Every structure is written in C-alpha cells, then in structure tokens.
Amino acid sequence: MQQNHFKHSWRNLRSRKGYLAINTVGLAVGIAACLLVFLLIRFETSFDDFHAKKDRIYRVVSAIKTPAGMTWSKASAFPAAQALRLDYPQLENVARIYVRDNKQVAVPTDDANSIQKKFKETVFFADPEFFGIFDFPFLAGDAKTALSQSNTAVLTQAVAEKYFGDWHTAIGKYINCENDGVCKVTGILKDIPANTNFPLQVVLSFETARKEDLPTDWSGVDGSLNTFLVLPPNTTAPQFNKQLQSFVKKYMPAGLANHSYLLQPLADMHYNSRFGTYGGTTFSKQLITALSAIGFFLLVIACINFINLATAQAVNRSREVGVRKVLGGSKTQLIAQFLSETFLITVISVGMAIIFALIALPLLNRILHTSAGMSPDGSLIAFLSGTIAVVTLLSGLYPAVILSRFNPTIVLKSKLTSKTAGGFSMRRILVVFQFAIAQALILGTLIVVSQMNFFQNASMGFDKDAIITVPLANDTSRLHQADALKTELLQQAGIKNVSLSIFTPIDKASWEGDFTFDNGAKKSDFGAQFKWADADYFKTYNISFVAGAPYKQADTVTGFVVNELMARKLGFRTPGEIIGKRLSFWDGAITARIVGVVKDFNSTSLETGMKPVVLGSYRPLYRLLNIKIEPQQVKQTLAGIESLWTKAYPGFTFEYQFLDDKIASLYRQENRLSQLYQLFAGIAIFISCLGLYGFVSFMTVQRSREVGIRKVLGASVLNVIYLLSREFILLIGLAFVIAAPVAYYFMHQWLQKFAYRTNIGIGLFLGTLLIAETIAWLTVGYRAAKAAVTNPVNSLRTE
C-alpha cells in the first residue's frame, strides 16, 4: 500500500513540474538556512568538550566590589596557584598559563646563535601540570615532563613543520623566543582543533617567562595570567567558592579587601564576555538563542509556502479526490497519499539543502571567522531526520486534511472554487504571518546596521583617522632605540606626529586601579584608567585641553593629566579647580600634581560609558609607537616607516595596525550579528517572494476568465494589475503592523546593552515597509502584468 502511495505521489509531482520546482526550491532554501544555523550552533557549543575532565575544570577569576558596582577579571595573582596547591591538596591539579600576543619566535641554525627565520606568534607559558588538566594529544614527547624544566618548548605539528620542515625531526631542536632566551623543543602536539578556547601554537614552560614582565605579589594582577584547577569528583563549584572566601582573606593584602575569587566553569568561557577568552571572541548564549529562533522561523516560512500552494491547488485536485472517494478511498488513505507527496518533496528538498549548505558554509565561515563543518555525526543525522519528519507534518498535514474533506458530489459536479475549497482565510493568515517574520528581520537588520554605522561615525573625542600603531621590539634596548627612531620618523615626509605610549586612547587592554587624592587618608571610592604616554600623545591624537596644559616631556611622572569625568567625580564643578591637586598611586610609589584636564574621550568601546582617565609620562612602560600620517601618501610613508624601524630593530619583524581597524575589532560580535541579520533577512524575503510568486501565478490562472471579461468591458492593464495585487499589498501592510512592535521590542532590548546607541526612528519603520512592499509588488506585479496583457480571447474562447 505504502509503495503504491509513493508511486502515485511521484507521478503526480512529475505532472506538476512548476508546483514541484517552487516548493522544492523554497523548502530547500529554508532547510539550508536552518541547517547552516544548526552547524554554526553545533560548532559554537562544542568548545573544549573533548577534555575528559571538562565538567570539573574551572578557571579562578576575580570579582572586585566598588561603589559603582562589581568589576570582573579573568586574572588571578601570580602566587595563587602555589597557595592553592598547598592549602587544598585535595585538588587534582592546579596550573597557570600566561599569554603573550605577537611574540617574535626565531629559528636558529645549527649553532643556535645565527638567526635563520623569524615569526610572530601568540605564545603560551604554562606550568607542567597544564597538560594534566587539558587533553591536547602529543605526537612526540611526554606530556607530564615536557614543560618541567626552564627553557623548554612544546610546538603544534603545523608550527613545527613551519619552523623545521618535518615535525618528526623537531624534538631536540631550538627556538629563540623574544626576550625569553633559547628554548629546546621537548614535545609536539597534534594540531589544535578550532573548537577550543586555547589556540595553542607555541607553549613554553612557565619558568621560562621573564619574571620582570609579571606581577609576582598578591596585589598585582595581569589579565594574561590565569589559574586553572580540577575539582575532585565530590566537590561542587559553589562549595569551593565558599572556601575561596577564607583563602582570599588569608593571602590578600588589607588594601585589597574588596577583591574576591570565584570559579568559572570551562564550559562558560566561550560564552561569557565578562571574562573573555584567549585570542578570540565570545559567542553569547543570547546570540545562540536568537539564531535558533531565526533558523526555526525561516523553516516555518518555507513550510507556509508549501501550505499556501497546496491548499490553493486544491481545486485542481478536487476531481482526483472525488474519484478516489467514489471508488472507496477512505479519508485516512487520502491523508496518507498527500503526506507521501509531502514526504517526497521534503526528501528532495533536504538533498538540495545539503548541497546549498555545502556551497554556502565556507562563505559563512569566512564572514563570521568560524570553522563550522558538516561532519556526518549522530547529531547531524538526527537533525536531518527530525527536519524531514517535522517539515512533512508541518507542511503536509493541514493541506492533506483540507483535500481529504472534499464532498465527492460537489467536486464531481465542478462546483468547487478556490474560495469554497476551504482554507482561503487560512492562506491569508499564513501570508501575513510569513511576511511579518520577513519584515521583523528586515527591521532588525536596519537597526543593527544603523547601530554599527553609529559606532563607525560617532565622535570618540580624539582623532582616529590616518593613525597607525607599531609595537616596539620587546628587548631591553627598545626604549633607547625608540627615542632615536621617533626623531628620524618626524623627519620623514608624510609623517605629521609621533608619540610613545603603552596603549592607544581606546584599547582592549587597560590598566585600572584606585588612588589617593590630594594627600587623603584613604583611597578613592572609584577606580581610574591609567594611560602612560609621552607629551606628544595629545598632539598626535588631537586630544583637546579644557584646562591646564600637557605635562613636560620626561622619563618619569612629572605631572598628571585627567579627563573631565575624573574632575567631576572628584567633586569639582569646573575643570580648572582640580589643577594643582595631587594624585598618588600604588601606596605612594608614584605621586604628582594634576597639570591639565582634557575633554572626555572614549577609552573603551561604545558599549560602555566614559571612564575616569589619568595620563602620565612613564617611559619604562611604553610599548607602542603612535604615528599620524598624511592620508594621501600612505603607501610611500609605510615603506619609509618600515625601513627606519627595521634599521632600529634589525632582529625583529615589522608590523603595524591602523587605529580604525583596531577600533572596528572591538565590535566584532556586533559585526557578526549584522552580517547574519542581513543574510537571513535576504533569505526570508527570497522564500516569501518565491511562495508569493507561485501563489499569485496560481490565482491568476484561476481568475483568468474574470480578467478576460474585465478587459472586454474596457479595463486597462493598470486596472487589472491593481485588481490582482491589491489584496497582497494590503496583507503585507497588515503584516508590517504586526511585525513593527514585535521587532521594536526585541531590538530596543538589544540596544539597551550599549551606553551609546542609535535612535529607532520612524525612518527605519518606513524603510522596512517600503522595502517589503516594493519587493512584494515587483513579485506580484510582474505576474499580474503578464495576465493583464494576455489576449482575452484566449481565456474566453471556451465560454
């Protein structure tokens, strides 16, 4: 019986090739979009799930209570790991990692002194216990002892081949890591998978790290220094968090009583932007939920196409149903027959969707900087099987019930019309629902794009155009060479200004801390950002003064410059009142008077508000050259800068970054969201218009005699187009009335996370309606115009 159902279903579909094409393409695109969302979510939720102890691995993170609220850091103090080992011997393992970006690694020749090749790498310094916590497979060497000694290194297979040609011969060879000395290769890791928060390439033993680069006491922390531990099976994170309270009281200095430690699960690292990961961006759980909803709704839109076309075509199949019923066919058999057709269409569509997804996946990965793949594991097979079942029932059940209900007496007398066949009002509802989803996505896209444009064009309080930053070589003579390099650069054509600093005005990295003001007895009740820079910094970035003047050019602090917000938070009504007051940091280690106040500028991304900022000259901490160039001579100027830099630092690799690129990287997650919205909004419109075209094509055929009569009676082409399209235009307008408040609510909630945000103006709503109505009118109008210019004789000759 079932075999007969499929045989008849295939014959029916072959006889209606246009119906089959529109349905399969619409379903295939919807399923492909849903499949891409599934693959992306599968990748993003699989981070670090391959470690055997993943459910018991935690990172020790910091929480700092301030009058303004809680601040968070992924850092823990340098001595914390050893203290945890001593105080809590029940912990299975404790290990530190210390991450440094853009470290130069040189590969010596056989005598280990002559440099052969140089590379820029992200270098991890790790305790030997690190590979006892995390299960990164070794191809050569012993995971337990590879990092047990100073000046030892573990490389990944790809890096070893890049350095030495063949990873099999890399063990026992040497690399020279910038300022950390010559290291012997003691282990080779299998290439690290993309779905990990630890993008290991070069791992040096923790003992190799220069201690002068690390805060070695309890009061100093560095966000790049993290501590991981493995809890015993019978201990939970909340239980151990309570023990950490007494641990902090025991070791933290009295001045840091507002600091506390807590455990962050390994599984939380990829999603929690509060703490961040290493070298990548977090992927919030809210974004996963939003993507899941979008994928589901795109599938629903495709199913609505199927339902509309199937119920609209009910008149054409009414006699078939009538004959089957007269010959004894039951309602259940008819439903099974029509579900078999839907199943065949769905299976064909899934096959096409897999092909579409395979073509689109590399593009999606490139746009989103991900590495999602289509490996045929159990989850993918379950997803595809579930999709076939859900789409078959969702798309086929309602049309099957409508068709099976036909009265054979009525249909065999040819008294059935598209309106009396049933489901006419439902088709209108489904069209409205379909375009409500599409317009909600369009409005969401316009709001996200508007917010991104706001980020790009907002005034930051400093000049960000035509400025490049060049990291100084990280060696002991870098500052001596930097002074000479700065002088030579200022003589170069195309260069307007040069300054030295630790950070740019806006930066992911920052130094923050409390201070003592005006010889006060206790520290401030709020923290400030420190930006160490020379006196030319203000001129290079065009940072304006509202009171006072820059500090003098010097190697150490001779005066401080603060922003307006700092003055206001300290209780001064006008900026000039704070001039001459004294600031003291690090228990009096650095003390100077305030000599100037600058206009407020954004020192962090526009997601957060302004922060109090203190600038001072402290030469030992400078890490960057900030160079303002003429925008008309970029290519020649960059070549000149590279030549002078290479001359100053002959053993190091030159690299640079434009400041506007650096700022754009702060909004990588929002850019991803913008691109996803644009992609899925386009897919939603395409599917909706495809279904609308098929639906209008069928309705045009149904009303061809009416159109013929109207033309004979004098109706113009425009009259006919208006007749056939007005209902759909009204339905899309109704869909907009539903979509607008829903989209506004959710996008308004999304915008609230930004301290600086665009306005959701009436123009965005009008733009959404205009886009939807224009696309729909073009779709409907084209088919209506074809019907309008048809010779009425062709449709009336049988009357």
Side-chain angles (χ1 to χ4, degrees), residues 386-399:
T387 299
I388 291 172
V390 169
V391 171
T392 299
L393 292 174
L394 194 62
S395 301
L397 193 57
Y398 176 72

Side-chain angles (χ1 to χ4, degrees), residues 507-520:
D507 213 307
K508 286 182 181 178
S510 66
W511 278 25
E512 296 189 32
D514 49 21
F515 56 90
T516 302
F517 177 68
D518 205 22
N519 299 317

Side-chain angles (χ1 to χ4, degrees), residues 26 91 145 239 282 306 480 548 632 660 690 755 785:
L91 294 174
T145 60
Q239 289 172 344
T282 56
F306 188 100
H480 174 71
Q632 297 84 6
D660 48 6
L690 188 67

Side-chain angles (χ1 to χ4, degrees), residues 490 492 494-498 539 627-631:
L490 286 170
Q492 177 88 6
I495 294 179
K496 299 171 76 174
N497 285 304
V498 182
K539 184 168 54 175
I627 307 173
K628 175 74 174 177
I629 63 177
E630 294 284 359

